[in-house]
Amino acid sequence: MATVIAVQASSSGTPTIPATVSNCQLKGVETENGLTKPSAVVVAADTGNTRSRRDRPCDACRRRKSRCVIGDGVASCTLCDFQKQECTFVQRPQPRKRKLNNGVKSEATTKRSRRSPETEITPRPFQSNSNAPSMSSNIPTNSERYHQHQATSLKDSLGLQNHRHGKYIGPTTELEPALIDLVGLDGNDEGSLPCRGTLLKISDKENFLMLPDRGTQNHEAEVRDLDEIEQIVSPYGPALINLYFRVVHPSFPILQEKVYLEKYSRTYREFSPTNLAAVYILALNWWSWNPDLAHQPKPSREKLEAIALRTLNDAIHRPKLSTVQAGLLLLQRSNGDSWNLTAQLVAVGQELGLHLDPTNWRIPAWERGLRKRLAWALYMQDKWSSLIHGRPSHIFAANWAVPPITEGDFPGSDAGTDEKARFETEKGKTLFIQMIALTEILAEVLDTFYTLRAKTEFQSAGRHGTRLILERAKPVQIKLKEWFAHLPSCLRMDSISTTKLSSTGYIHLAYFATEITLHRRIVRSLSPSTTDSYLLHICRSAAKTRLISAMDFVNRLKPEHLQSFWYFSSTVNFALISTFGGLLWATAPVREEAEFYKHRLSEYRWTLRVSSKGASEFLGFAVAMLDASTELLKNLKEKPRSLSPGSSVAGECAKPSEGDFLAEAKARMLNAMSSNGQSTELTEHPASIGSASGLVSPATSTSSGSGDHEGYLAHTGGSHGAGQGEFDFMARTSDIKRWAGVSSR
């Protein structure tokens, strides 16, 4: 019979386990914050009928070196029953590992298993996080003693093993692949490389060099660092973990949630110090959202950040997937973005083989999915960092083999999860996948328009530079339009659940930042002295539409958006809107248009200031940059007034009339059509001429449809062969209609 011993609660409310209890299995209950706390401990009583085979443990318990507990009248032990596997007693005892003279254990000869973490995690005796040993406790020098209960699934992994790390062996190193194939492998696909370490053949073509963690920089200090981190947040660690997985994780799923929570329920010492500290740091942003924490003293973010950054520098010398996870999380901090750290993480990712396709690797299925999610998260970090820092990207398509993420690359939802929670989880997956797709378009924009080679090509084109840019912009603009048109309904700005925060704001902001980045390059190429007047007008009108739509988007943000998780680049993306407005203001050909942008930027600043009351950490930067740009714009020379008689500043700027350049451009198009033998009958929209200025209502937004793309696209199609005329690619009635109606939609 099994005896149930109740777990007593301490004065702090933290459950404690009697010291006399040993060899026990913890039963847990779900708390209000989603984590597990112990309710009772099932202990094997010292009676003679507790085990049916006292002479030896079952095969599974022997492999795990766990106590084999078989209750009265049952055929399976507790562990096998939990794992829903057959309890057998047929395998011979495994040979003991011999210790060599240097104290390093020889390699195991048993075949490694390939199970998923969901079936490998074994319940372990609970260790209260709030009762962590103090810094003065006697800590053994070998931290591996604290990892003896590590789940088998992590031991079977490539990038998350506890006591060693792997480095990808590239094709041009001193280790010749033809010679590597001559290495004798054991049942674990491992072999010894003289003077180097252990070779692990992970697939027919890919190899890794496995090295011990012991002896790397400050490895012996990991347990001490973990205890210090937990001491800073104690006794609020579990609540912070819960906050992180409620707010951040759904839309940034780079951790393995179930494994993380199960490890944490055992002991925080199973994590890397940087990883644990990074999760706590991000969760502190929503400290006041937990009613139990709101009135408690907030742990020191500065102390946690100091430990996290110091230990990250150590972890890079023994790179693992957890190193990339921690680095990416630290880069999501407010004011935590770093181009140098991003470059380091890309290097660590390549060391771990994250740039490769792991589909056929002999690793657990869960690790393949985690690797793909981490790889694409690293890809996004690199591309958006490249944008906001104005630096060349570190990741190139020629050396990127990671396949697209699919539904199967995410952990499955628990069957017991309520419907709302499952919806938020699925919404987060969709958000992550769509952000990757948008980032691939951003990468194309950066590669097409902002590389040194592209800059040279556009300069060499001379007065035809704008046309060359428009030709290359058309396919990118179409991709952006299609991306937005196919955005799932759950990612709409108005898709907000009751009492739930929504992170959809950052992907819409990223979309506008990508649009603005494309239009900035076009506007910069425009020159009144070399660009055709009508083409100049149309390009500036399309840019104006994008600016007003972006400003309107910011104006429509709700508290559910502002208080949620925002991707790291959002801080600068908000500022890019005002930067784009400043560009249009500075390059405005007439005073009325300049006054219009000055007025719009003043309104945008008001919106940012009002919104920043609840999100000051990332909107404050946009306000500061807008103020700096406005100060610089005071040095602009006064612009001439528009020649158009009815132009005004309030709502419209420099509206051209039929007698201005619009009529001139129309005549050019008719001449081009006539020279090509085409009909010159144009059926115009009643309001086409008046609306051709591109002036739009301040309420313009992405929800109004895709009409604002049409005129721009019409300018970027067709060939420009000799003798066809400057505007032969616009010589179609339907194009002219869309052209003229671009701003009236």
Side-chain angles (χ1 to χ4, degrees), residues 76-87 115 119:
S76 298
C77 70
T78 304
L79 178 60
C80 291
D81 182 63
F82 176 82
Q83 300 288 353
K84 294 182 175 57
Q85 63 187 19
E86 184 180 3
C87 189
R115 298 194 178 105
T119 61

Side-chain angles (χ1 to χ4, degrees), residues 303-531:
K303 290 182 179 179
L304 289 174
E305 288 181 341
I307 298 174
L309 293 174
R310 171 173 55 80
T311 55
L312 178 62
N313 187 53
D314 295 335
I316 287 177
H317 295 279
R318 45 183 177 274
K320 301 180 183 181
L321 297 183
S322 58
T323 310
V324 179
Q325 290 172 328
L328 289 173
L329 293 180
L330 289 175
L331 287 169
Q332 307 309 311
R333 295 171 299 149
S334 300
N335 303 321
D337 174 51
S338 167
W339 177 248
N340 293 338
L341 179 54
T342 299
Q344 282 184 297
L345 287 183
V346 172
V348 171
Q350 292 170 344
E351 191 102 298
L352 296 169
L354 287 181
H355 59 296
L356 305 173
D357 181 0
T359 302
N360 297 318
W361 289 9
R362 292 186 286 273
I363 57 177
W366 66 266
E367 188 182 0
R368 285 196 291 270
L370 177 60
R371 280 179 164 271
K372 289 173 64 176
R373 300 199 312 272
L374 271 180
W376 282 109
L378 197 58
Y379 179 91
M380 291 192 293
Q381 183 72 38
D382 175 71
K383 298 304 179 182
W384 288 100
S385 294
S386 176
L387 169 69
I388 66 178
H389 289 285
R391 303 282 189 270
S393 170
H394 300 292
I395 297 177
F396 302 95
N399 282 314
W400 186 257
V402 186
I405 284 185
T406 64
E407 180 70 22
D409 295 318
F410 294 90
S413 301
D414 291 338
T417 308
D418 63 85
E419 185 176 347
K420 284 187 177 180
R422 283 198 299 270
F423 173 78
E424 291 300 318
T425 299
E426 294 303 315
K427 180 179 178 180
K429 294 178 184 178
T430 304
L431 176 60
F432 190 70
I433 292 174
Q434 290 297 324
M435 186 66 178
I436 293 172
L438 179 61
T439 304
E440 290 185 278
I441 300 177
L442 171 68
E444 186 173 351
V445 172
L446 297 177
D447 291 343
T448 305
F449 302 101
Y450 289 94
T451 61
L452 295 179
R453 177 181 297 178
K455 180 180 179 180
T456 301
E457 290 174 351
F458 297 145
Q459 289 177 342
S460 300
R463 63 187 300 271
H464 300 292
T466 299
R467 178 157 300 156
L468 178 60
I469 291 174
L470 290 176
E471 287 175 347
R472 295 184 180 181
K474 179 177 180 179
V476 181
Q477 186 71 40
I478 291 175
K479 289 180 181 179
L480 273 171
K481 178 183 176 182
E482 291 178 346
W483 178 90
F484 185 82
H486 294 93
L487 202 62
S489 59
C490 65
L491 299 184
R492 291 174 58 91
M493 290 298 294
D494 55 2
S495 179
I496 300 176
S497 302
T498 307
T499 69
K500 294 286 186 181
L501 298 178
S502 175
S503 292
T504 55
Y506 83 69
I507 194 171
H508 287 265
L509 178 63
Y511 163 75
F512 283 112
T514 306
E515 285 269 15
I516 284 173
T517 302
L518 177 61
H519 282 270
R520 283 176 77 182
R521 190 64 191 88
I522 297 172
V523 172
R524 288 178 189 173
S525 71
L526 301 176
S527 172
S529 60
T530 59
T531 306

Side-chain angles (χ1 to χ4, degrees), residues 20 89 104 124 310 381 393 611 681 732:
T20 56
F89 295 81
V104 180
R124 300 294 180 188
R310 171 173 55 80
Q381 183 72 38
S393 170
S611 301
E681 289 188 25
R732 288 186 302 152

Side-chain angles (χ1 to χ4, degrees), residues 115 132 168 185 203-204 286 331 347 367 384 388 393 441 517 584 616 649 662 681 689:
R115 298 194 178 105
Y168 170 64
L185 303 178
S203 71
D204 294 338
W286 292 273
L331 287 169
E367 188 182 0
W384 288 100
I388 66 178
S393 170
I441 300 177
T517 302
L584 291 173
S616 58
V649 176
L662 185 60
E681 289 188 25
I689 301 301

Side-chain angles (χ1 to χ4, degrees), residues 552-565:
D552 180 62
F553 155 76
V554 177
N555 193 49
R556 291 184 291 113
L557 289 173
K558 298 180 179 180
E560 291 88 343
H561 301 122
L562 292 170
Q563 297 297 329
S564 189
F565 168 72

Side-chain angles (χ1 to χ4, degrees), residues 256-273:
Q256 201 80 1
E257 180 179 6
K258 186 173 182 179
V259 174
Y260 201 100
L261 295 179
E262 288 179 336
K263 287 172 63 176
Y264 191 83
S265 70
R266 291 192 295 270
T267 171
Y268 60 82
R269 286 176 168 177
E270 290 191 13
F271 299 100
S272 70

